[in-house]
mmCIF file of all heavy atoms in Angstrom:
data_model
loop_
_atom_site.group_PDB
_atom_site.id
_atom_site.type_symbol
_atom_site.label_atom_id
_atom_site.label_comp_id
_atom_site.label_asym_id
_atom_site.label_seq_id
_atom_site.Cartn_x
_atom_site.Cartn_y
_atom_site.Cartn_z
ATOM 1 N N ALA A 1 -32.077 -37.896 64.853
ATOM 2 C CA ALA A 1 -31.709 -38.717 66.005
ATOM 3 C C ALA A 1 -30.297 -39.274 65.802
ATOM 4 O O ALA A 1 -29.744 -39.209 64.700
ATOM 5 C CB ALA A 1 -32.711 -39.853 66.162
ATOM 6 N N PRO A 2 -29.694 -39.829 66.857
ATOM 7 C CA PRO A 2 -28.356 -40.415 66.706
ATOM 8 C C PRO A 2 -28.336 -41.457 65.586
ATOM 9 O O PRO A 2 -29.327 -42.141 65.335
ATOM 10 C CB PRO A 2 -28.102 -41.059 68.069
ATOM 11 C CG PRO A 2 -28.929 -40.243 69.019
ATOM 12 C CD PRO A 2 -30.165 -39.896 68.258
ATOM 13 N N ILE A 3 -27.193 -41.546 64.912
ATOM 14 C CA ILE A 3 -27.038 -42.468 63.780
ATOM 15 C C ILE A 3 -25.909 -43.444 64.084
ATOM 16 O O ILE A 3 -24.827 -43.045 64.513
ATOM 17 C CB ILE A 3 -26.696 -41.695 62.489
ATOM 18 C CG1 ILE A 3 -27.825 -40.731 62.139
ATOM 19 C CG2 ILE A 3 -26.445 -42.665 61.333
ATOM 20 C CD1 ILE A 3 -27.468 -39.793 60.996
ATOM 21 N N LYS A 4 -26.166 -44.714 63.855
ATOM 22 C CA LYS A 4 -25.138 -45.747 63.953
ATOM 23 C C LYS A 4 -24.899 -46.308 62.557
ATOM 24 O O LYS A 4 -25.837 -46.509 61.789
ATOM 25 C CB LYS A 4 -25.571 -46.871 64.895
ATOM 26 C CG LYS A 4 -25.706 -46.479 66.357
ATOM 27 C CD LYS A 4 -26.075 -47.703 67.196
ATOM 28 C CE LYS A 4 -26.112 -47.381 68.682
ATOM 29 N NZ LYS A 4 -27.215 -46.491 69.038
ATOM 30 N N ALA A 5 -23.646 -46.545 62.221
ATOM 31 C CA ALA A 5 -23.314 -47.109 60.915
ATOM 32 C C ALA A 5 -22.073 -47.979 61.050
ATOM 33 O O ALA A 5 -21.227 -47.766 61.922
ATOM 34 C CB ALA A 5 -23.080 -46.007 59.893
ATOM 35 N N ILE A 6 -21.981 -48.981 60.184
ATOM 36 C CA ILE A 6 -20.816 -49.865 60.137
ATOM 37 C C ILE A 6 -20.328 -49.914 58.699
ATOM 38 O O ILE A 6 -21.132 -50.125 57.777
ATOM 39 C CB ILE A 6 -21.169 -51.285 60.623
ATOM 40 C CG1 ILE A 6 -21.611 -51.256 62.089
ATOM 41 C CG2 ILE A 6 -19.972 -52.230 60.456
ATOM 42 C CD1 ILE A 6 -22.083 -52.607 62.622
ATOM 43 N N GLY A 7 -19.043 -49.692 58.492
ATOM 44 C CA GLY A 7 -18.548 -49.678 57.119
ATOM 45 C C GLY A 7 -17.042 -49.747 57.049
ATOM 46 O O GLY A 7 -16.381 -50.275 57.942
ATOM 47 N N TYR A 8 -16.495 -49.167 55.987
ATOM 48 C CA TYR A 8 -15.060 -49.216 55.731
ATOM 49 C C TYR A 8 -14.463 -47.811 55.739
ATOM 50 O O TYR A 8 -15.119 -46.838 55.357
ATOM 51 C CB TYR A 8 -14.788 -49.876 54.377
ATOM 52 C CG TYR A 8 -15.109 -51.355 54.372
ATOM 53 C CD1 TYR A 8 -16.332 -51.815 53.905
ATOM 54 C CD2 TYR A 8 -14.191 -52.287 54.856
ATOM 55 C CE1 TYR A 8 -16.643 -53.177 53.902
ATOM 56 C CE2 TYR A 8 -14.486 -53.640 54.867
ATOM 57 C CZ TYR A 8 -15.709 -54.081 54.392
ATOM 58 O OH TYR A 8 -16.008 -55.425 54.411
ATOM 59 N N SER A 9 -13.199 -47.721 56.159
ATOM 60 C CA SER A 9 -12.473 -46.460 56.170
ATOM 61 C C SER A 9 -11.446 -46.477 55.046
ATOM 62 O O SER A 9 -10.664 -47.432 54.923
ATOM 63 C CB SER A 9 -11.770 -46.237 57.511
ATOM 64 O OG SER A 9 -12.725 -46.072 58.539
ATOM 65 N N LEU A 10 -11.457 -45.423 54.226
ATOM 66 C CA LEU A 10 -10.590 -45.349 53.049
ATOM 67 C C LEU A 10 -9.696 -44.118 53.136
ATOM 68 O O LEU A 10 -10.154 -43.050 53.537
ATOM 69 C CB LEU A 10 -11.429 -45.267 51.778
ATOM 70 C CG LEU A 10 -12.481 -46.364 51.578
ATOM 71 C CD1 LEU A 10 -13.411 -45.982 50.436
ATOM 72 C CD2 LEU A 10 -11.808 -47.700 51.298
ATOM 73 N N PRO A 11 -8.435 -44.215 52.748
ATOM 74 C CA PRO A 11 -7.530 -43.052 52.776
ATOM 75 C C PRO A 11 -7.764 -42.169 51.560
ATOM 76 O O PRO A 11 -8.408 -42.585 50.589
ATOM 77 C CB PRO A 11 -6.143 -43.690 52.722
ATOM 78 C CG PRO A 11 -6.369 -44.934 51.906
ATOM 79 C CD PRO A 11 -7.732 -45.440 52.320
ATOM 80 N N PRO A 12 -7.247 -40.922 51.562
ATOM 81 C CA PRO A 12 -7.317 -40.068 50.364
ATOM 82 C C PRO A 12 -6.616 -40.753 49.196
ATOM 83 O O PRO A 12 -5.721 -41.570 49.390
ATOM 84 C CB PRO A 12 -6.585 -38.790 50.792
ATOM 85 C CG PRO A 12 -6.680 -38.781 52.280
ATOM 86 C CD PRO A 12 -6.606 -40.231 52.686
ATOM 87 N N ARG A 13 -7.030 -40.427 47.988
ATOM 88 C CA ARG A 13 -6.441 -41.055 46.806
ATOM 89 C C ARG A 13 -4.970 -40.686 46.642
ATOM 90 O O ARG A 13 -4.591 -39.526 46.799
ATOM 91 C CB ARG A 13 -7.207 -40.645 45.546
ATOM 92 C CG ARG A 13 -8.579 -41.294 45.453
ATOM 93 C CD ARG A 13 -9.273 -40.929 44.152
ATOM 94 N NE ARG A 13 -10.555 -41.607 44.035
ATOM 95 C CZ ARG A 13 -11.684 -41.151 44.584
ATOM 96 N NH1 ARG A 13 -11.663 -40.019 45.252
ATOM 97 N NH2 ARG A 13 -12.807 -41.817 44.460
ATOM 98 N N ASP A 14 -4.160 -41.687 46.335
ATOM 99 C CA ASP A 14 -2.742 -41.494 46.003
ATOM 100 C C ASP A 14 -1.957 -40.800 47.102
ATOM 101 O O ASP A 14 -0.909 -40.210 46.849
ATOM 102 C CB ASP A 14 -2.601 -40.685 44.702
ATOM 103 C CG ASP A 14 -3.339 -41.344 43.539
ATOM 104 O OD1 ASP A 14 -3.311 -42.575 43.471
ATOM 105 O OD2 ASP A 14 -3.937 -40.617 42.735
ATOM 106 N N GLY A 15 -2.467 -40.812 48.315
ATOM 107 C CA GLY A 15 -1.753 -40.217 49.427
ATOM 108 C C GLY A 15 -1.659 -38.711 49.385
ATOM 109 O O GLY A 15 -0.911 -38.100 50.143
ATOM 110 N N ARG A 16 -2.430 -38.069 48.484
ATOM 111 C CA ARG A 16 -2.332 -36.606 48.376
ATOM 112 C C ARG A 16 -3.117 -35.927 49.497
ATOM 113 O O ARG A 16 -3.880 -36.556 50.218
ATOM 114 C CB ARG A 16 -2.860 -36.141 47.013
ATOM 115 C CG ARG A 16 -4.335 -36.440 46.769
ATOM 116 C CD ARG A 16 -4.739 -35.987 45.368
ATOM 117 N NE ARG A 16 -6.100 -36.357 45.034
ATOM 118 C CZ ARG A 16 -7.170 -35.703 45.436
ATOM 119 N NH1 ARG A 16 -7.053 -34.647 46.207
ATOM 120 N NH2 ARG A 16 -8.378 -36.098 45.085
ATOM 121 N N GLU A 17 -2.924 -34.621 49.611
ATOM 122 C CA GLU A 17 -3.602 -33.858 50.655
ATOM 123 C C GLU A 17 -5.106 -33.817 50.391
ATOM 124 O O GLU A 17 -5.550 -33.639 49.272
ATOM 125 C CB GLU A 17 -3.054 -32.429 50.706
ATOM 126 C CG GLU A 17 -3.599 -31.609 51.865
ATOM 127 C CD GLU A 17 -2.967 -30.234 51.944
ATOM 128 O OE1 GLU A 17 -1.973 -30.004 51.215
ATOM 129 O OE2 GLU A 17 -3.454 -29.402 52.725
ATOM 130 N N TRP A 18 -5.863 -34.004 51.433
ATOM 131 C CA TRP A 18 -7.315 -34.048 51.333
ATOM 132 C C TRP A 18 -7.892 -32.683 50.974
ATOM 133 O O TRP A 18 -7.441 -31.650 51.445
ATOM 134 C CB TRP A 18 -7.885 -34.512 52.664
ATOM 135 C CG TRP A 18 -9.364 -34.377 52.803
ATOM 136 C CD1 TRP A 18 -10.320 -35.160 52.223
ATOM 137 C CD2 TRP A 18 -10.070 -33.412 53.585
ATOM 138 N NE1 TRP A 18 -11.577 -34.737 52.584
ATOM 139 C CE2 TRP A 18 -11.458 -33.663 53.427
ATOM 140 C CE3 TRP A 18 -9.673 -32.353 54.398
ATOM 141 C CZ2 TRP A 18 -12.433 -32.904 54.058
ATOM 142 C CZ3 TRP A 18 -10.647 -31.599 55.026
ATOM 143 C CH2 TRP A 18 -12.004 -31.877 54.855
ATOM 144 N N ASN A 19 -8.894 -32.680 50.102
ATOM 145 C CA ASN A 19 -9.609 -31.466 49.716
ATOM 146 C C ASN A 19 -11.094 -31.696 49.941
ATOM 147 O O ASN A 19 -11.658 -32.673 49.429
ATOM 148 C CB ASN A 19 -9.352 -31.150 48.244
ATOM 149 C CG ASN A 19 -10.058 -29.878 47.793
ATOM 150 O OD1 ASN A 19 -11.286 -29.841 47.696
ATOM 151 N ND2 ASN A 19 -9.288 -28.843 47.506
ATOM 152 N N PRO A 20 -11.780 -30.838 50.727
ATOM 153 C CA PRO A 20 -13.180 -31.095 51.092
ATOM 154 C C PRO A 20 -14.134 -31.133 49.908
ATOM 155 O O PRO A 20 -15.196 -31.747 49.999
ATOM 156 C CB PRO A 20 -13.509 -29.927 52.032
ATOM 157 C CG PRO A 20 -12.516 -28.859 51.677
ATOM 158 C CD PRO A 20 -11.271 -29.590 51.305
ATOM 159 N N TYR A 21 -13.802 -30.467 48.803
ATOM 160 C CA TYR A 21 -14.697 -30.468 47.641
ATOM 161 C C TYR A 21 -14.351 -31.605 46.679
ATOM 162 O O TYR A 21 -15.189 -32.424 46.325
ATOM 163 C CB TYR A 21 -14.626 -29.133 46.901
ATOM 164 C CG TYR A 21 -14.937 -27.941 47.776
ATOM 165 C CD1 TYR A 21 -14.128 -26.803 47.727
ATOM 166 C CD2 TYR A 21 -16.004 -27.951 48.654
ATOM 167 C CE1 TYR A 21 -14.399 -25.708 48.520
ATOM 168 C CE2 TYR A 21 -16.277 -26.863 49.458
ATOM 169 C CZ TYR A 21 -15.481 -25.742 49.390
ATOM 170 O OH TYR A 21 -15.749 -24.661 50.175
ATOM 171 N N ASP A 22 -13.088 -31.662 46.262
ATOM 172 C CA ASP A 22 -12.698 -32.655 45.263
ATOM 173 C C ASP A 22 -12.810 -34.079 45.779
ATOM 174 O O ASP A 22 -12.948 -35.024 44.993
ATOM 175 C CB ASP A 22 -11.261 -32.400 44.795
ATOM 176 C CG ASP A 22 -11.117 -31.064 44.077
ATOM 177 O OD1 ASP A 22 -12.144 -30.535 43.621
ATOM 178 O OD2 ASP A 22 -9.989 -30.547 44.005
ATOM 179 N N ASP A 23 -12.734 -34.262 47.102
ATOM 180 C CA ASP A 23 -12.772 -35.603 47.664
ATOM 181 C C ASP A 23 -14.141 -35.985 48.212
ATOM 182 O O ASP A 23 -14.271 -36.969 48.935
ATOM 183 C CB ASP A 23 -11.715 -35.738 48.767
ATOM 184 C CG ASP A 23 -10.308 -35.754 48.200
ATOM 185 O OD1 ASP A 23 -10.110 -36.435 47.182
ATOM 186 O OD2 ASP A 23 -9.426 -35.087 48.747
ATOM 187 N N ALA A 24 -15.164 -35.229 47.876
ATOM 188 C CA ALA A 24 -16.524 -35.625 48.244
ATOM 189 C C ALA A 24 -16.884 -36.897 47.483
ATOM 190 O O ALA A 24 -16.274 -37.213 46.464
ATOM 191 C CB ALA A 24 -17.497 -34.501 47.903
ATOM 192 N N SER A 25 -17.863 -37.641 47.987
ATOM 193 C CA SER A 25 -18.311 -38.901 47.358
ATOM 194 C C SER A 25 -17.114 -39.804 47.058
ATOM 195 O O SER A 25 -17.039 -40.419 45.995
ATOM 196 C CB SER A 25 -19.117 -38.622 46.080
ATOM 197 O OG SER A 25 -18.339 -37.963 45.113
#
């Protein structure tokens, strides 16, 4: 079913390019 969540938004570490595997969790 639809999901609602409230939290915080964080940028990639050290401003580097995002990687879908290394930046998981």
Side-chain angles (χ1 to χ4, degrees):
I3 299 172
K4 293 183 175 68
I6 297 176
Y8 291 96
S9 294
L10 306 168
R13 288 183 177 84
D14 304 322
R16 63 182 175 80
E17 186 176 350
W18 170 75
N19 181 291
Y21 304 134
D22 296 340
D23 289 317
S25 62

